[in-house]
Structure formats: structure tokens, C-alpha cells
Amino acid sequence: MSTGREHAGGTAPGPGRVPLGRGSAWTTRLAFGAAGIGNLYRSVTDAEADGALAAAWDGGVRSFDTAPHYGLGLSERRLGAFLRDRPRDAYTVSTKVGRLLVPDPGARGDDLAHGFAVPATYRRVWDFGADGIVRSLEASLERLGLDRVDIVYLHDPDDHAHQALREAYPALERLRAEGVVGAIGVGMNQTAVPTRFVTETDIDVVLLAGRYTLLDRSGLDELLPAALRRGVSVVVGGVFNSGLLADPRPGSPYDYAAPPPETLWRAVRLREICERHGVPLRAVAARFPLGHPAVAGVLIGLRSAAEAEDAVGLLGREIPAALWEELRREGHLSDDVPVPGRERGR
């Protein structure tokens, strides 16, 4: 992928690796989203988590994304345990900053109010100050058992944009200059604040969740064009819009809520078109973002070996050009939306 900026940091990323911005970090086209192995919504055993990671690794996945938020550190600990005996230059790890985990010994019950089936032994404290960023990263490195991470994202600074821009970003910039991290960015499920970071700072990458999919292409309005102009890479998460594009039926969530009837109808129609061309909707949804030249890879949340094997298979599917053309004819994609096979800039 041409980012418009030179890749720095020594040797080239190598086959199957896409550089992120101007830093030394890279991603594989499919990245492992590790919220699931942090017991997102339901408990996952250590063996199941390890099996998911192993299946992804065997399928060629070498990029792994986690965060302190995911299971109050459980995701980072499980990922670190899996990677411990693997060559450090063979993979990349991204984690996030912005929420400090503070011990809460008096707490009772679980953390399901925040989406994770783990004991509520910590409470999250928002902190986008420079000191909070450093403390958060130090704690993540300890949980991961690593001396560095490849990518650090500012995690959901929706209500803290000013502090994130004025305090957190300069702290990350210094860490990048010192070589503690290879690339820095912002991870959100909206486009306005990431667009500010792209245009006002020198970040390397945006992790954009749910805003560049077959159903929601709001990322194409400003963020993706700005990223392309500035040489900022984009990793797209939420390619299934939290479930509807994986299994379009009544009851399937769309952005963590019930879908509007018109959106459900669109998803069902998308599935019908894909099946007529012999391709699962899931594969088309997973591949679609890779058509844009600013998109370096897609991130899919995985919690089992079967899910990991399925995701690897989805990214390997060939999508007939006739399928994309039918989606255009029916108005599901406009003519200016790039699709795989018609990528620009690669």
C-alpha cells in the first residue's frame, strides 16, 4: 500500500506485512481483535483463548490488538502469555491508553455492566493526561510481559478530545521518538475526532470501528480522504456492524442495538446478492474495506479456534467482480466507492 510517506525504522516490513504510517510498525491484512478473549459478554477459558490465538497464528495472522479495558486486563495477560515464546520481530501488538485500571478491593460482582464477564476487581478511570498515558502503557507492558509495543491507540477520547490532543498526543509522540512504541494513533467508532487527529497531528494510524462497512460508509466522507492525503493508515474494525452483517435476521444487533427496519432489509438484500454469486455475506463484509487505498487491514474480534479459522478463510475468498457490480446497480454502493480488485494506490 502506498501511504504517501516513507516507511521508517530499518528493514522493510516483509511479505504480507503492510506498513502503518511513517513509523516502524506494520499490520497483517487480518488483525486479531482480542476483546473476546477478555471475556466480552461471556466467559472464555484460558484454553479457548489460547486455541483462538493459535488458530489465527497458524493462519498467518501476526497482528494482535488488545486494551486494558478488555476484561480489566485479562485480554492483555492472555495475549502476552501466548506470545511469550514467539520471536518478537515476528508479530505486532497494539494496545490502548486513556483508561487507567485502579484496584477496587471493595467491589462485588462482575464487570458485565461494562460488557465483560470478569470479577469487578478494578475500576476504570479516564485519564488522557501525559502522566496517565505513561502509567497506562507501563501497566500494559507488565501485563503483556513485553518491553515495548508496536502501536498505541488513544482509546475512545470522545468526551476528552481537547485533553487527548493537547496532552495525550504529545506524550505518545515523545514515546514514539524514544522508540518505546513504533506507531501511534487513535481508536474510535466515530469519524469527527479521528479526522481532527489526522489533520492536526502526526499520528500514524486510525483504528476505525463500524464506520467503513457495507452498511455505514460515513468514514468515506472526510476521514478516509484526509488519511490518504496525510499518509495516515487506517485499520478497520467492526466490519460486521456488531453482528448484522454476519447474520442478518430479526434480533441481530446493529451497532449494539436493534437495527432499524430499513437497515435490516438492506442487510438481508445484501446477503441474497452475495449468495447468488456463491459468496457468504461475511466474506464480502470482511473484504470490502480493503478496497480503499488508505486501509491497511481489517480487525476482527475472535474468541475461538473456529472463529479464527473462519476469519482467515473469509479474507482469502475471491469476490467476483460481478458481485460488486450488482451491488452498484442496486444502489448499495455508489460508483465512487472503491472495492477490492479496483484499489487505487497499491
Side-chain angles (χ1 to χ4, degrees):
M1 184 183 97
S2 173
T3 65
R5 299 195 288 192
E6 292 299 318
H7 175 72
T11 59
R17 301 178 178 185
V18 183
L20 296 173
R22 69 171 58 179
S24 60
W26 48 268
T27 184
T28 44
R29 299 292 262 168
L30 172 62
F32 187 107
I37 64 169
N39 288 8
L40 180 64
Y41 302 133
R42 63 176 178 82
S43 181
V44 173
T45 67
D46 288 344
E48 288 171 327
D50 192 71
L53 290 161
W57 184 277
D58 291 345
V61 175
R62 294 294 184 272
S63 298
F64 303 86
D65 176 74
T66 184
H69 173 57
Y70 302 157
L72 297 173
L74 178 62
S75 173
E76 289 181 318
R77 291 192 296 272
R78 282 174 163 169
L79 177 59
F82 173 79
L83 295 172
R84 196 149 296 141
D85 298 324
R86 287 164 172 80
R88 183 61 186 90
D89 62 354
Y91 61 84
T92 63
V93 171
S94 57
T95 193
K96 306 180 182 75
V97 292
R99 293 175 174 93
L100 290 174
L101 300 183
V102 177
D104 193 2
R108 298 290 182 268
D110 58 39
D111 189 53
L112 281 171
H114 295 96
F116 295 93
V118 296
T121 52
Y122 293 85
R123 58 186 177 89
R124 299 167 178 83
V125 176
W126 291 102
D127 192 336
F128 287 96
D131 180 64
I133 296 305
V134 173
R135 288 166 55 203
S136 179
L137 181 56
E138 288 175 345
S140 288
L141 289 172
E142 183 175 350
R143 286 188 291 268
L144 286 161
L146 298 175
D147 61 3
R148 62 181 172 86
V149 291
D150 304 280
I151 307 137
V152 175
Y153 293 110
L154 297 169
H155 197 184
D156 295 336
D158 301 70
D159 299 323
H160 310 271
H162 181 80
Q163 187 182 33
L165 280 161
R166 300 292 175 253
E167 299 181 37
Y169 168 74
L172 288 183
E173 196 174 40
R174 287 191 294 272
L175 291 169
R176 181 178 61 185
E178 294 167 1
V180 178
V181 300
I184 59 177
V186 59
M188 304 185 74
N189 60 5
Q190 57 140 294
T191 62
V193 172
T195 301
R196 287 191 63 189
F197 274 91
V198 167
T199 57
E200 298 177 24
T201 74
D202 194 28
I203 61 171
D204 300 289
V205 57
V206 171
L207 175 54
L208 180 66
R211 298 297 168 257
Y212 191 57
T213 73
L214 289 174
L215 290 173
D216 184 336
R217 290 182 296 282
S218 55
L220 198 57
D221 295 338
E222 294 184 349
L223 176 58
L224 287 167
L228 193 60
R229 287 193 304 270
R230 294 275 294 165
V232 175
S233 300
V234 178
V235 175
V236 175
V239 295
F240 304 128
N241 283 121
S242 78
L244 187 59
L245 283 171
D247 183 17
R249 57 179 174 79
S252 292
Y254 174 69
D255 288 351
Y256 309 102
E262 190 272 340
T263 303
L264 175 59
W265 177 88
R266 286 175 57 205
V268 170
R269 185 63 185 141
L270 287 168
R271 179 181 61 194
E272 292 171 351
I273 294 171
C274 293
E275 290 179 347
R276 185 156 59 244
H277 290 270
V279 183
L281 173 59
R282 296 186 337 280
V284 180
R287 288 288 304 280
F288 164 70
L290 297 174
H292 196 284
V295 175
V298 297
L299 184 150
I300 297 179
L302 306 169
R303 69 172 76 236
S304 69
E307 288 183 359
E309 291 164 0
D310 178 68
V312 169
L314 295 181
L315 267 291
R317 293 290 295 260
E318 289 296 324
I319 311 298
L323 189 158
W324 298 118
E325 293 307 318
E326 184 168 355
L327 292 179
R328 293 188 195 280
R329 284 197 307 272
E330 285 215 1
H332 297 287
L333 295 176
S334 59
D335 289 341
D336 62 342
V337 175
V339 297
R342 290 176 54 179
E343 296 95 329
R344 298 166 293 179
R346 291 201 183 107

